[in-house]
Amino acid sequence: MKPPAFDYHAPGDLGEALRILAEVRGKVLAGGQSLIPMLNMRLVAPGHLVDINRLTSLATIDSTGAGVRVGALVRHSAAERSAAHPLLTRALKLVAHPVIRNRGTVVGSLVHADPAAELPAVLAVLGGSVRLARWDGGAETTRDVDAGEFFVGPMESAVQPDELAVSAYFPALGPRTGATFEEVARRHGDYALAGVCAVVTLDEDGGIAAARLACIGVGPTPVVMDVSEPAAVREAAVDRVRPDGDIHATAAYRRHLVGVLAERALRNAVREAEARGA
């Protein structure tokens, strides 16, 4: 199929892109790995397409001791090769296939807000944020939206029609902290039937000081939970999620699966935390 007709815009800088978005209602094209299939299947029919691939200022990865800021044009493969954040790197290895990762963008995946995608869960479990820019009163303005408020529903984020997501911020792992991502898919590269990422911090005696999970594929947005009793993590995960069934798996199977993965993710995150603290 072919996409419906639209007006194409190719701004040369960020200011021009924001001015266009302030004037028209359209879709932003970065990697296009989700948008183009949706256009071809006519699931979306924007009157305007704003191609931001000329905005090279958005193709940067800035790392500090506090965290990593990933620009809107950073491809999955570039972020993976940078090894800037261990949990982000681990999750990116699970995203689709190399040909997709070579074009798809980290920020684009977050804006797409697929509840079965890995990167929204990474941002959520770390307590990260997305920076949004807009043209307001003749000048560029920005706002940072925390992950807990950014994902508002399946395929729905907090980005307004006149806003552009320019970067995402992933806080660094602290001392004695480990993180891991566990998922089950029908084939490697397929969307996960369910998945769990975990971040665990140990105290000086080796006990669990804090544990946080984010689950995918079992709710309209990443399901985030703080684990107060690690021994009961399976029951806690099963009680919190509300999966739907489909042709790939029943709701009951997904609920069972997320409990198993929660235990596994917590156990492996503890092992990594122990290794990092050694």
Side-chain angles (χ1 to χ4, degrees):
M1 295 182 66
K2 296 181 179 180
F6 54 79
D7 290 334
Y8 176 77
H9 306 267
D13 58 49
L14 179 58
E16 183 183 359
L18 297 180
R19 289 191 293 273
I20 292 171
L21 289 172
E23 296 171 358
V24 304
R25 290 295 181 266
K27 287 290 187 178
V28 173
L29 173 65
Q33 299 307 290
S34 299
L35 177 59
I36 298 302
M38 292 176 70
L39 286 170
N40 288 339
M41 290 186 286
R42 304 208 171 196
L43 297 175
V44 294
H48 299 264
L49 195 65
V50 184
D51 185 345
I52 64 170
N53 279 280
R54 291 170 177 81
L55 310 187
T56 56
S57 63
L58 302 182
T60 59
I61 301 174
D62 298 318
S63 299
T64 68
V68 179
R69 183 166 295 281
V70 179
L73 283 183
V74 175
R75 313 295 173 182
H76 294 314
S77 57
E80 180 184 345
R81 288 194 303 269
S82 75
H85 194 292
L87 181 56
L88 180 60
T89 300
R90 183 165 295 179
L92 285 166
K93 294 181 184 297
L94 300 172
V95 174
H97 304 281
V99 67
I100 300 296
R101 296 198 293 272
N102 286 339
R103 288 300 302 168
T105 62
V106 171
V107 174
S109 179
L110 299 174
V111 173
H112 188 53
D114 192 318
E118 291 85 1
L119 299 191
V122 172
L123 192 79
V125 78
L126 292 172
S129 61
V130 177
R131 179 163 294 171
L132 307 178
R134 66 187 300 182
W135 195 258
D136 186 20
E140 174 190 337
T141 63
T142 62
R143 65 184 180 112
D144 290 336
V145 182
D146 292 339
E149 299 176 352
F150 185 75
F151 304 109
V152 299
M155 311 294 187
E156 185 179 4
S157 71
V159 182
Q160 297 300 307
D162 62 345
E163 289 182 316
L164 175 64
V166 293
S167 66
Y169 182 72
F170 298 87
L173 300 178
R176 299 187 301 276
T177 299
T180 190
F181 205 119
E182 307 291 338
E183 70 175 34
V184 170
R186 295 173 64 242
R187 294 178 298 266
H188 179 72
D190 283 5
Y191 279 110
L193 299 177
V196 179
C197 59
V199 176
V200 174
T201 300
L202 303 180
D203 58 30
E204 294 183 355
D205 297 325
I208 295 179
R212 187 173 170 87
L213 307 179
C215 309
I216 65 171
V218 288
T221 63
V223 179
V224 182
M225 65 189 78
D226 292 303
V227 180
S228 57
E229 297 182 14
V233 62
R234 180 192 290 240
E235 291 78 8
V238 169
D239 288 344
R240 281 289 305 277
V241 301
R242 296 293 183 269
D244 292 323
D246 55 28
I247 61 173
H248 303 299
T250 65
Y253 178 71
R254 281 194 165 95
R255 187 176 292 110
H256 165 76
L257 188 58
V258 82
V260 173
L261 293 174
E263 281 188 332
R264 185 183 302 169
L266 186 67
R267 181 171 61 249
N268 290 338
V270 168
R271 290 173 179 166
E272 185 170 307
E274 291 171 342
R276 285 170 57 90

